[in-house]
Amino acid sequence: METVYRPLLLVRAFLLLVVVSSTLTWALGRESLTRRMSLLSGDDGMAMSKVVRDLVAGPLSSHQLLLVTDDEAENLLDVGWILASLGPLAPPSVFSTSNSLLHIHYPTSHIRGPLLATIFVFHNDPNTFLDLLQTNQEWNPKYLVLFCLNDDVNTTRVISQPLVQRSERILMLQMVTVNEKLSFKTYTSLPMQVNSRGKKLVKTPLGTWRPERPTTLESIFPSRFDSFGGIILQLSSWCDDTPFLYYKDGQCTGENIDALTIISHKYNFTFYVQDKPADERWDSKENGSWVGLMAGLMYEGKHLAPNAMLLNEENRREFDYTYPYQTEGFSFLHRMPPPLPQWKNLLYPFTTTMWVAVLASTMLVVILLVFLLHVVQHLHDPISFALKVVAGLLHQSVDMREVRASWARVWLAWWWVVMMLDYGNFVPGALKTSSHPALAALGHKLELMPYDSDAMYDHIFQRMEAGGYAFLEFSSYLFYLQKHYNFTAVSYIMNSQIYSSLLVWFLPRNTPYTPLFSHALMHLREAGILSHLFSQHLRTTIKRQDKNKAASGGGQLKVKQLQGAFILWVLGLTAAALTLLLEFLIRYY
């Protein structure tokens, strides 16, 4: 019997031990919480409110304030005292609890703007709340302060939250109790860097908060991405985007690759270039999902898309993007009309309208002059008077300029069949749905050519050379194609562009280091490096031939190009001589 019941006695002893230990843990925890609450409710309880006041009155004094608390912290934080101590210097402030924040919509431009600082004060573990808030893609404060009032909370897990890591600048304050006194440890997050043991510095200590020391915005919010720690960024790229990305000697190079290389040297990272997207699409949204380069950012974990892509209303809503570094648009390439026959050189200097106007005005002047000479009886020398009148007329200068309105050029394009490669760009859909009648007409005449082989451009240029087709493409790339396929002598690119917009680099939404790439690109642009790289790579990819130079540069002026003017001059002298002879005969006979 003893042997049978011995296991049961052991189980009962184990359960009793668990109950006792749980009771002790609960009691100790309750005692600790009671002691902490007692501290916070006493004189030392104002320490937490004083830290918030010092932050708002000091380094955050020029920022608007969004203060968020959980239920416990709401009872501990003395908001009235904070505002009263700030007095008229208090910045515009908004107070919210964590529960109500889940149901409030804040504009992204305001939350992410440089003039708003968010302070989140919590006593309980906030991870459940942060998980719920993470579904709100609008939530991404530039300056985020995490204030933990409970040293039992795992703040490493809190600061590692993907929602927290969206912010560009992070400061965490954690309350600790030492010898019945409160102090506050400060931390930031450097997720790209590692320590000597290879561990990521997700929670990096900054020291103890000391209100007597002067603080600045930069000191409490150190840059989190001064170094990327040698990581490899995965590019969502397509190396067929001259002169921005293209192949040279088997390597992907170009203006944007060179610019990214310069940035990588400064911030200590490398990057892997993707030759092309798996679906061989560009950046459009098809059936509600992104394709091509944008799909790489949205669904495949890519970090950056450095191709030449235009910023529009659709992609700016769902992705991060840098400052614009260039403007571009889409242009039409069309075959030049055949030259006029040589026998038409006489009429070539003027248009038909101009010839009609000249002849009509000449006849009108002659009729009026004859009438005046007939009316005025006191003239002793009517021929001299007539010559002076004609000389005065001929002395007047006329500025003949051909009107080249943009709408007129697009209207002429109605008669063309427009071709474009079908590689997943937004332009075909935008043309067909455009409210502009000219663009809509072009959209319905647009013929999408399959993007399937290296010979596709040969096929396009053959059809253009046969006549009746125009080719629609990105302006810089169109200029490269025109030169590369020796089509300059027989084609021209329309000056007018459609869907002209800004070129930017795209990143996944809520990327915390987007401003870093923005500032880096802006510095390269202001220094003239980007324009130099653009010109350098465009020259590299274009093989200039002598006949192309003659066609685009004009060459020497030849006699046959002026024969129309000489013929017109001879005809004018002949007409003048006949007129003089006629007047002489009328006067003397």
Side-chain angles (χ1 to χ4, degrees), residues 8 30 104 176 195 206 218 248 260 283 351 383 388-389 456 466 468-469 483 490 500 502 531 538 565 576 585:
L8 295 176
R30 182 175 180 82
I104 299 177
V176 294
N195 58 18
L206 297 177
E218 290 73 21
K248 180 183 178 183
L260 188 57
D283 65 346
T351 63
I383 295 180
K388 289 180 181 179
V389 173
M456 54 193 170
Y469 283 89
K483 296 289 186 179
V490 295
S500 180
L502 305 171
S531 60
L538 196 59
L585 292 175

Side-chain angles (χ1 to χ4, degrees), residues 382-396:
I383 295 180
S384 175
F385 177 76
L387 291 176
K388 289 180 181 179
V389 173
V390 174
L393 292 173
L394 295 177
H395 193 66
Q396 300 298 320

Side-chain angles (χ1 to χ4, degrees), residues 215-288:
T215 55
T216 62
L217 193 67
E218 290 73 21
S219 65
I220 67 170
F221 288 111
S223 176
R224 302 176 57 211
F225 303 103
D226 282 341
S227 173
F228 279 56
I231 70 168
I232 302 176
L233 295 183
Q234 301 293 325
L235 302 187
S236 184
S237 52
W238 194 340
C239 203
D240 183 17
D241 193 11
T242 306
F244 303 98
L245 285 87
Y246 65 95
Y247 283 109
K248 180 183 178 183
D249 300 329
Q251 297 291 327
C252 188
T253 184
E255 173 194 352
N256 289 355
I257 293 295
D258 286 354
L260 188 57
T261 301
I262 295 172
I263 298 173
S264 69
H265 290 330
K266 177 175 176 58
Y267 293 103
N268 188 24
F269 66 86
T270 57
F271 53 89
Y272 175 77
V273 181
Q274 173 185 262
D275 293 336
K276 61 181 178 181
D279 56 4
E280 294 190 352
R281 310 295 286 172
W282 192 250
D283 65 346
S284 63
K285 199 171 187 180
E286 301 177 1
N287 299 322

Side-chain angles (χ1 to χ4, degrees), residues 68-373:
V68 183
T69 63
D70 64 8
D71 293 337
E72 293 285 349
E74 183 183 10
N75 297 324
L76 300 175
L77 189 67
D78 195 339
V79 177
W81 176 85
I82 294 175
L83 294 178
S85 62
L86 292 173
L89 300 179
S93 305
V94 176
F95 300 95
S96 173
T97 62
S98 56
N99 292 329
S100 61
L101 187 66
L102 295 174
H103 309 288
I104 299 177
H105 172 74
Y106 293 99
T108 304
S109 58
H110 186 60
I111 291 293
R112 300 188 66 174
L115 299 180
L116 179 70
T118 301
I119 300 178
F120 178 33
V121 185
F122 56 92
H123 183 275
N124 301 322
D125 192 325
N127 284 289
T128 301
F129 161 72
L130 296 176
D131 288 337
L132 294 174
L133 189 60
Q134 186 174 345
T135 59
N136 182 1
Q137 293 298 319
E138 307 296 329
W139 181 260
N140 183 0
K142 179 181 177 69
Y143 297 101
L144 177 62
V145 179
L146 299 170
F147 202 153
C148 180
L149 305 181
N150 187 348
D151 52 9
D152 293 333
V153 174
N154 185 352
T155 53
T156 301
R157 183 185 171 196
V158 173
I159 205 170
S160 302
Q161 274 273 359
L163 177 75
V164 174
Q165 288 297 319
R166 293 178 185 176
S167 296
E168 180 185 348
R169 303 295 179 104
I170 297 175
L171 170 67
M172 171 176 279
L173 294 102
Q174 184 170 12
M175 185 189 72
V176 294
T177 305
V178 180
N179 298 327
E180 301 295 323
K181 293 186 64 177
L182 297 179
S183 63
F184 301 92
K185 300 292 185 181
T186 59
Y187 304 88
T188 189
S189 180
L190 306 175
M192 299 291 189
Q193 302 183 35
V194 296
N195 58 18
S196 58
R197 294 175 294 177
K199 185 178 180 181
K200 290 186 177 182
L201 302 178
V202 177
K203 181 182 175 183
T204 305
L206 297 177
T208 302
W209 175 263
R210 299 186 183 279
E212 66 275 7
R213 293 180 181 176
T215 55
T216 62
L217 193 67
E218 290 73 21
S219 65
I220 67 170
F221 288 111
S223 176
R224 302 176 57 211
F225 303 103
D226 282 341
S227 173
F228 279 56
I231 70 168
I232 302 176
L233 295 183
Q234 301 293 325
L235 302 187
S236 184
S237 52
W238 194 340
C239 203
D240 183 17
D241 193 11
T242 306
F244 303 98
L245 285 87
Y246 65 95
Y247 283 109
K248 180 183 178 183
D249 300 329
Q251 297 291 327
C252 188
T253 184
E255 173 194 352
N256 289 355
I257 293 295
D258 286 354
L260 188 57
T261 301
I262 295 172
I263 298 173
S264 69
H265 290 330
K266 177 175 176 58
Y267 293 103
N268 188 24
F269 66 86
T270 57
F271 53 89
Y272 175 77
V273 181
Q274 173 185 262
D275 293 336
K276 61 181 178 181
D279 56 4
E280 294 190 352
R281 310 295 286 172
W282 192 250
D283 65 346
S284 63
K285 199 171 187 180
E286 301 177 1
N287 299 322
S289 299
W290 289 98
V291 298
L293 300 175
M294 292 308 201
L297 298 177
M298 180 68 76
Y299 314 117
E300 301 170 13
K302 305 289 186 181
H303 298 102
L304 176 68
N307 279 83
M309 291 186 288
L310 297 178
L311 182 66
N312 57 46
E313 186 63 30
E314 190 173 41
N315 54 35
R316 69 181 293 272
R317 287 197 303 263
E318 301 190 37
F319 296 90
D320 277 10
Y321 52 91
T322 63
Y323 294 149
Y325 61 93
Q326 195 170 319
T327 58
E328 277 286 357
F330 289 84
S331 297
F332 294 93
L333 177 67
H334 194 263
R335 188 177 185 275
M336 288 182 178
L340 291 174
Q342 294 294 328
W343 63 270
K344 288 189 176 181
N345 283 339
L346 176 62
L347 302 176
Y348 182 70
F350 300 121
T351 63
T352 303
T353 304
M354 184 60 188
W355 274 113
V356 172
V358 169
L359 293 176
S361 60
T362 303
M363 295 298 295
L364 181 61
V365 169
V366 170
I367 294 173
L368 292 176
L369 186 58
V370 171
F371 174 75
L372 289 174
L373 291 176

Side-chain angles (χ1 to χ4, degrees), residues 488-538:
T488 307
V490 295
S491 67
Y492 65 94
I493 298 176
M494 291 180 60
N495 291 330
S496 299
Q497 295 182 347
I498 61 173
Y499 301 113
S500 180
S501 185
L502 305 171
L503 289 183
V504 297
W505 290 359
F506 284 99
L507 301 92
R509 191 171 189 183
N510 295 319
T511 299
Y513 48 82
T514 297
L516 180 144
F517 282 98
S518 289
H519 291 298
L521 271 181
M522 184 59 66
H523 291 160
L524 293 179
R525 180 188 178 187
E526 292 174 346
I529 295 176
L530 287 182
S531 60
H532 169 73
L533 292 175
F534 179 83
S535 301
Q536 181 186 43
H537 285 285
L538 196 59

